[in-house]
Amino acid sequence: MFKLINLQQGKYINNGSLLAAIVLMLIPVTLPAQGNILEEITVTATRRAMTIQDIPYNISAMTGEELKNAGVFSIADLSRSVPGIAFSDLGVRSGGVNNQLILRGLNTNAQGGISAFLPNLNPAGVSTYMDNTPLFTNLRMTDLERVEVLRGPQGTLYGAGSIGGTLRFIFNKPDPEAFSAEINTGFAAVEDSDDLNYNVDGVVNVPLGETAALRISAGIEEMAGFIDGDRFAVGGFTNPQIADPTDPFGTGLLTESRKDTDGSEQWYVRASLLWKISERFNAQLTYHRQEDDADGFSYQTNSDVPGARERTHSQYFTSPLAREVDLVSLDLEYDLGFARVESATSYTENKAQNDGELTFITNVIDAATGGFAFGGFPATNGRLAGYYQDVADSKSVVQELRLISQGESKVDWIAGFYYQDIDFTDFEDVFSPGFAAFANTPGFSGAPGNPFAAFPLPPFLSFANILAGPPTFVTQAAIDAESFITLDRQVDIEDIALFGELTYHVTDAWQVTAGVRVFWNEHGNTLISTNPLSGAAVAQDGMDRSGLNASSNTVDEQDEIFKINTSYDFNEDLMAYFTWAEGFRRGGSNAFPLSGIYTEDPSLLAYQSDKVTNYEIGVKGVLFDRLSYTAAIFRVDWDNPQISTGLLPSGFPSAVNAEEARTQGVELEGIWAVSDALRLTVGYTYTDAELTEDFATPIGPVGPFPDAAGTDGAPLPGVPESMATWALDYERPVNFMGESMLRFRVDGSYRSSVVTDSSPTSVRYAELPGFDIWNASLTWTNDHWRVGAFVKNIGDETGVTSVIRNSPIRPIDSMDYVSRPRTIGMTFGYTY
């Protein structure tokens, strides 16, 4: 009897003789080579084509075929296949809002909170590139040539935001030599869902003569929801109904339950036109369009809340997302003989309509104002709800020029220029659904829960009558609109840099590389906020009665970073290397009111750039032509770590700085071709990440929220101490419909426990237990056809990947994001 062990909880899945039979198939046998002998993967991380074993630092890569065989179609899938990537899988609803990737433990952002649904101001700690374009999106990973994962600071070649590392998604290029086409489809049943997953992806490559080709890929994926809602308001946020219309002051909202509230749909199209203008000159024009639509968040009410049930929440409103991403790029390459000139020009736009519940904010504001802000609304059995509508639009223009030396020489070099202009706008409107109906109801003294008992005689004033005056503090139109906060933000960022690397080959076996990047950044931030329902309080502070408040701030900086790397080849199968490298993220400006009820500390108007210094020693090599390995030890010192947060009680997205932090650890990765048919891939990362100096930053003037704070020795949030990945691939030829191949794969990943904030006293703090996820697949292929069956998350693990911990005032708003449940499906493909 065979058992699959759950590493974290000691549970097992008894699969009986079926699994035993499959395992017996994995016993090594002597077969003709079928592709599992170690293959060299060529990458361009250094801007030159080199094999992974020749790159003198720690890098992983997966080819497009490996991605397909492993069932890797999303960044979440990738994080469970490549060792050392910590990633909070928040589902499609939050997956494209902020870059949640963590490499080498470089993260100080609290997990969840407003970062789950509003864009951060500061760059992420891991940069992502689609070909040569810096862009993060919820990418569906198809028609890829490979993915490269570069660990450690990559600032000299990849710029700001690459303090922890860089991910590069390299797509297949058009091929002028032959026509080809491929279509793949699949479906799957999801545990705890009444719906199915569906997907269709296709690609066609069309030669246009001998020197040009057009390649088009497109696809659509529907993901079934698995989270139920047991307390949705009937009528939604536009017209919430009350349970007892005869008791307008004493009754709560009328609610209903709904199934599968977090379903999503994603579609994309990518078209690339390649023209080999001459033997020396190539041009490629690419357009990529992607749309994401999600019904809601993949979160459940925290299990510590009384009455909480697994994969169920008790929020009043749905939280839909509609996102559109456009990318246009032009890559030019010209061969000068002694060097190669590369130009990468791109324009990207990322637009999103992002709605959701924000009830905890209304309750915090009401508590902070002693019940004044909403006229006693919270006394009515939880009717004080909150809802936001956010429209964000980020446009970016990038121009990068590189001059790369060619030919055999003692000296290799790269020189480049980088320019990026980002224009980001964000408008947020926060409502209190149902407030107008409440405020416009006359206050009869005999009504239960009547908050207007002081006005029992005719004309039986309503709260709207009281606010409307005289004196006039709030207009009737503002009351009817139910909007109590609006935020209109404009962020302008300009990055300019000169960079270069020079490699001196001391001998055939020993090289030394030095790199530098000099950069100039300008960051402007303008915010206009209004507080329509707080007109009285605003007027008392000498502000315009509309509540209008504008704040603008600009920060300029200039700095440089350096890199030194050296490696020695003891023989063709063994390399040792050392790297000292700096990385940086640009500083910037916050914007928020300096007067009124949402006044913030002026010292927070600017946040500083942060810088890391990385020390790394590693070895990589091949044993017996069957075992490739990489081992690295690293330490990263981090000055002024940036923290994305929300100022309170207003919720203004902002960034602040801590003092110092440090991460250190060990990275191991190996691929063993056990036989011609059997391959074992394993990876393990140990990371010790902590603050090394106390800090305390005010993020709001009112309790019960603590400041952003941490103490020396506190662990960095979202960073597992241990991460592991493993995969066993077995393939054998079969005689079915001619010569064909049967491939079996079992893989898994493990993540140890994490904390969600560096301060145990923070309302955002939680301890998330570790968990492991196992997958298996069986695929049959021949020259044209591909049929497969798979199981993802075999043990149906409800792994908590992130949280929302907003306020102790409403524990029911404490939410846990969870991994997708057990999914069983089939795939079909045809290649022409």
Side-chain angles (χ1 to χ4, degrees), residues 696-767:
T697 302
I699 61 172
V702 299
F705 296 91
D707 294 342
T711 59
D712 185 359
L716 298 186
V719 181
E721 187 175 80
S722 291
M723 288 181 285
T725 60
W726 56 88
L728 195 64
D729 290 279
Y730 176 77
E731 60 181 25
R732 63 185 303 165
V734 294
N735 187 12
F736 177 71
M737 294 179 63
E739 294 184 2
S740 56
M741 186 69 63
L742 193 65
R743 177 180 295 106
F744 174 78
R745 176 184 174 93
V746 59
D747 61 62
S749 63
Y750 168 73
R751 189 206 75 178
S752 64
S753 61
V754 301
V755 299
T756 60
D757 196 284
S758 291
S759 174
T761 61
S762 169
V763 72
R764 298 175 297 271
Y765 182 86
E767 296 182 12

Side-chain angles (χ1 to χ4, degrees), residues 15-74:
N15 291 278
S17 58
L18 175 61
L19 182 57
I22 293 175
V23 172
L24 290 175
M25 291 174 58
L26 302 181
I27 299 175
V29 294
T30 303
L31 292 172
Q34 301 296 337
N36 274 326
I37 294 297
L38 295 178
E39 298 178 359
E40 292 186 336
I41 300 178
T42 299
V43 296
T44 55
T46 62
R47 300 301 184 185
R48 290 185 174 85
M50 302 174 67
T51 67
I52 287 181
Q53 291 299 319
D54 291 333
I55 298 284
Y57 52 81
N58 198 355
I59 176 175
S60 297
M62 292 184 71
T63 66
E65 189 64 20
E66 288 175 329
L67 294 168
K68 185 185 299 183
N69 291 338
V72 174
F73 295 104
S74 68

Side-chain angles (χ1 to χ4, degrees), residues 483-533:
S483 173
F484 64 92
I485 299 176
T486 68
L487 306 175
D488 190 353
R489 186 185 295 274
Q490 171 77 42
V491 179
D492 298 297
I493 302 170
E494 184 177 73
D495 289 347
I496 299 175
L498 298 173
F499 62 90
E501 286 192 357
L502 186 146
T503 299
Y504 178 62
H505 299 277
V506 183
T507 67
D508 290 343
W510 180 22
Q511 67 83 27
V512 178
T513 298
V516 62
R517 190 180 191 98
V518 182
F519 55 90
W520 297 262
N521 299 325
E522 182 178 293
H523 189 285
N525 194 343
T526 299
L527 177 72
I528 298 175
S529 64
T530 65
N531 315 119
L533 292 182

Side-chain angles (χ1 to χ4, degrees), residues 347-430:
Y347 169 80
T348 60
E349 184 170 9
N350 189 335
K351 298 187 295 184
Q353 169 74 47
N354 168 21
D355 301 352
E357 182 154 353
L358 215 58
T359 296
F360 89 94
I361 283 288
T362 54
N363 282 264
V364 168
I365 293 175
D366 188 77
T369 59
F372 170 81
F374 299 98
F377 204 8
T380 56
N381 299 333
R383 277 174 59 189
L384 181 59
Y387 194 81
Y388 72 90
Q389 291 185 315
D390 183 86
V391 179
D393 189 356
S394 179
K395 301 176 182 178
S396 172
V397 175
V398 175
Q399 174 63 59
E400 184 169 359
L401 294 171
R402 296 183 293 269
L403 187 62
I404 305 167
S405 67
Q406 298 186 133
E408 297 292 333
S409 173
K410 296 282 285 185
V411 178
D412 298 326
W413 48 267
I414 299 174
F417 165 80
Y418 181 85
Y419 171 81
Q420 182 175 27
D421 182 85
I422 300 174
D423 179 11
F424 173 70
T425 59
D426 188 20
F427 182 81
E428 182 180 358
D429 205 343
V430 186

Side-chain angles (χ1 to χ4, degrees), residues 548-628:
L548 183 66
N549 189 6
S551 175
S552 182
N553 193 26
T554 301
V555 172
D556 295 295
E557 65 178 343
Q558 186 276 319
D559 207 344
E560 56 280 323
I561 58 171
F562 300 94
K563 167 186 173 181
I564 296 175
N565 167 266
T566 186
S567 65
Y568 188 82
D569 295 324
F570 292 93
N571 54 52
E572 63 180 9
D573 291 330
L574 176 60
M575 172 199 288
Y577 66 87
F578 168 78
T579 299
W580 174 91
E582 295 180 311
F584 77 101
R585 287 189 297 183
R586 59 173 176 262
S589 56
N590 295 313
F592 43 73
L594 298 178
S595 61
I597 64 172
Y598 301 125
T599 300
E600 302 291 351
D601 189 334
S603 67
L604 301 179
L605 280 173
Y607 58 93
Q608 303 177 56
S609 60
D610 56 356
K611 184 179 288 189
V612 300
T613 304
N614 175 83
Y615 307 86
E616 177 182 346
I617 299 175
V619 295
K620 55 174 58 178
V622 177
L623 294 174
F624 314 117
D625 294 326
R626 287 187 176 271
L627 174 62
S628 67

